[in-house]
Amino acid sequence: MSKSLQAIRGMNDILPEQTPAWRYLENTLVSLLDGYGYREIRLPIVEYTELFARGIGEGTDVVDKEMYTFLDRNEESLTLRPEGTAGCVRAVLEHGLSGGGQVQKLWYAGPMFRYEKPQKGRYRQFHQVGVEAFNLPGPDVDAELIVLTWRLWKQLGLADAVTLQLNSLGSSEARAAYRDALVAYLQERFDQLDEDSQRRLTTNPLRILDSKNEQTQALLVGAPTLSDYLDEESRQHFEGVKARLDAAGIRYEINHKLVRGLDYYNRTVFEWVTDKLGAQGTVCAGGRYDGLVGQLGGKPTPGVGFAMGVERLVLLLETLELLPAELNRAAEVYVCAFGEAAELAALALAERLRDQLPGLRLLVNSGGGSFKSQFKKADKSGARYALILGEDELAARVVGCKPLRDDSEQQSIAWDALAEHLAGRLQRG
Ligand code: ATP
Ligand code: MG
């Protein structure tokens, strides 16, 4: 027997039971972004590998270990996007959207791909909603991004479930100076570092700061801290962000070890973290990346953004039972028809009802069946009324309207009066 076909490990089907939750989250987020003036951009899922190598940076886990890269039939190296910022910047440059200092406030949503170890909250195909703002150098927009995510948490009922971690990485010069100091400090203690951190000491030393290894963390207690290396402008920028968060009443925790996995950040970095999901607790992460546009060949252009992990947020909403009950909305009306002639009339009647009562959730019985089996399906659909159409009803141009959720009597309603009858009934709740 042939092996049954399966989805790729870490790449999930989102089943019909789950899609309402996804849509609820996406719709809430989209109308919120709309309200803040952010516009959607749709980007390809596949880009030239070079974009990510240059944008995210060699030496990062994402580029070195996690990318799905392949040669196409034309021998060009392509990569399934591991994140959205690089592609967004590429598109902005390609279409001149940031030229002449134009402000752009953009968002995108969709699947991202990383070859990671699949586990709860960590998949190989996962989904992000990302937001990016260009040509705004000040702390006001950093704060705006955080404020709008805070509003989302409040709307979703998650305000008590997440905390904000904040840090500033300073200018790239300040960061470089800090990197040297950190490397010098750790080099002297090289033998005590875990293997991963030893490797990172040459590839991406700042990442050692968020090592999960206890001995490495103990070593870091005496290490130089990034905040001591902040340049004056970055310090002021950071003060500006904090002042705005204070004004908006948003609490935060300064985390000097927050450096983010991707190489392109400078100044503000932040993460929204929950302790309700176990190890994969970051649900939204972002920061400023003033150097990225230049790095990808554009004129120096300030940029700042974040991405949230849709799977983790859906998991969090499910875990905390915060999904509104009305997400799985039952049918309102179920049409039962008996015999070919009645089926034809039922179809026409149903379509007329849909015209007359837009948005009506109406199911027409499919596949025929006895009285008993059709009523069973009507009941299971959750509908409040079954409409019954047999030979007698057809002859009299009426339907039987049978309440399914209370004991009231079945009524016979003329076809022409049916829309009005149902409208009245369904509204009465
Ligand atoms: P982590 O430290 O959890 O690996 P990251 O720093 O690699 O996260 P980002 O690149 O900043 O993550 O992505 C932003 C958000 O996307 C994360 O905070 C998380 O919510 C989500 N995310 C990242 N990788 C995955 C994944 N493999 N599966 C599910 N969600 C993910
Ligand atoms: Mg990661």
Side-chain angles (χ1 to χ4, degrees), residues 61-62 66 114 116 122 126 207 260-262 280 312:
D61 282 354
V62 170
E66 298 177 356
R114 297 184 193 176
E116 304 208 59
R122 187 176 295 285
F126 62 98
R207 280 295 267 173
R260 310 285 309 108
L262 311 182
Q280 321 315 324
R312 290 184 194 178

Side-chain angles (χ1 to χ4, degrees), residues 62 66 83 114 116 121-124 126-128 207 260-262 265 271 280 282-285 307-309 311-312:
V62 170
E66 298 177 356
E83 52 97 55
R114 297 184 193 176
E116 304 208 59
R122 187 176 295 285
Y123 312 101
R124 289 181 174 172
F126 62 98
H127 296 74
Q128 289 183 337
R207 280 295 267 173
R260 310 285 309 108
L262 311 182
Y265 292 104
E271 288 192 0
Q280 321 315 324
T282 303
V283 291
C284 173
M308 43 183 92
E311 280 83 355
R312 290 184 194 178

Side-chain angles (χ1 to χ4, degrees), residues 83-105:
E83 52 97 55
T85 304
C88 186
V89 168
R90 196 262 316 131
V92 161
L93 284 177
E94 192 168 333
H95 302 284
L97 302 185
S98 65
Q102 276 179 85
V103 168
Q104 290 290 347
K105 294 184 170 183

Side-chain angles (χ1 to χ4, degrees), residues 159-171:
D160 293 333
V162 292
T163 55
L164 176 62
Q165 308 239 318
L166 195 63
N167 194 18
S168 174
L169 302 177
S171 64

Side-chain angles (χ1 to χ4, degrees), residues 150-374:
W150 175 240
R151 178 164 298 279
L152 177 69
W153 311 143
K154 285 190 291 186
Q155 283 184 6
L156 296 172
L158 291 173
D160 293 333
V162 292
T163 55
L164 176 62
Q165 308 239 318
L166 195 63
N167 194 18
S168 174
L169 302 177
S171 64
S172 55
E173 294 78 21
R175 210 171 147 190
Y178 172 66
R179 188 187 298 120
D180 291 346
L182 182 69
V183 169
Y185 173 88
L186 292 174
Q187 201 78 58
E188 282 171 29
R189 295 156 180 85
F190 188 83
D191 295 338
Q192 299 166 62
L193 286 174
D194 64 279
E195 218 177 292
D196 249 357
S197 298
Q198 287 182 344
R199 187 176 48 79
R200 284 184 172 144
L201 199 56
T202 43
T203 57
N204 195 351
L206 292 194
R207 280 295 267 173
I208 298 173
L209 295 178
D210 62 14
S211 162
K212 302 277 184 291
N213 185 284
E214 275 178 31
Q215 198 185 331
T216 297
Q217 276 304 329
L219 270 190
L220 286 169
V221 172
T225 63
L226 191 50
S227 54
D228 295 334
Y229 285 78
L230 275 198
D231 52 296
E232 180 54 24
E233 274 185 49
S234 296
R235 207 189 51 72
Q236 278 180 21
H237 185 101
F238 199 35
E239 290 307 317
V241 175
K242 289 189 284 185
R244 284 167 178 79
L245 296 182
D246 292 338
I250 299 176
R251 279 193 302 258
Y252 50 85
E253 205 177 289
I254 305 293
N255 176 355
H256 293 299
K257 289 182 178 163
L258 182 67
V259 290
R260 310 285 309 108
L262 311 182
D263 226 10
Y264 48 59
Y265 292 104
N266 68 314
R267 293 198 175 161
T268 317
V269 288
F270 66 91
E271 288 192 0
W272 286 100
V273 184
T274 179
D275 59 6
K276 310 275 190 284
L277 291 180
Q280 321 315 324
T282 303
V283 291
C284 173
R288 185 163 277 284
Y289 50 84
D290 295 332
L292 179 61
V293 177
Q295 204 169 307
L296 291 176
K299 285 210 189 84
T301 303
V304 57
F306 67 75
M308 43 183 92
V310 178
E311 280 83 355
R312 290 184 194 178
L313 284 168
V314 170
L315 253 167
L316 190 56
L317 291 170
E318 283 168 359
T319 306
L320 301 178
E321 298 182 10
L322 290 170
L323 293 167
E326 66 269 16
L327 283 186
N328 287 302
R329 294 202 302 172
E332 293 167 296
V333 177
Y334 193 100
V335 182
C336 306
F338 304 97
E340 176 76 4
E343 276 189 21
L344 298 183
L347 174 60
L349 197 61
E351 288 308 305
R352 207 168 122 201
L353 283 176
R354 291 186 211 278
D355 289 338
Q356 291 166 320
L357 304 173
L360 179 68
R361 294 191 304 281
L362 175 148
L363 303 187
V364 178
N365 182 71
S366 308
S370 65
F371 266 100
K372 200 174 153 203
S373 87
Q374 291 200 31

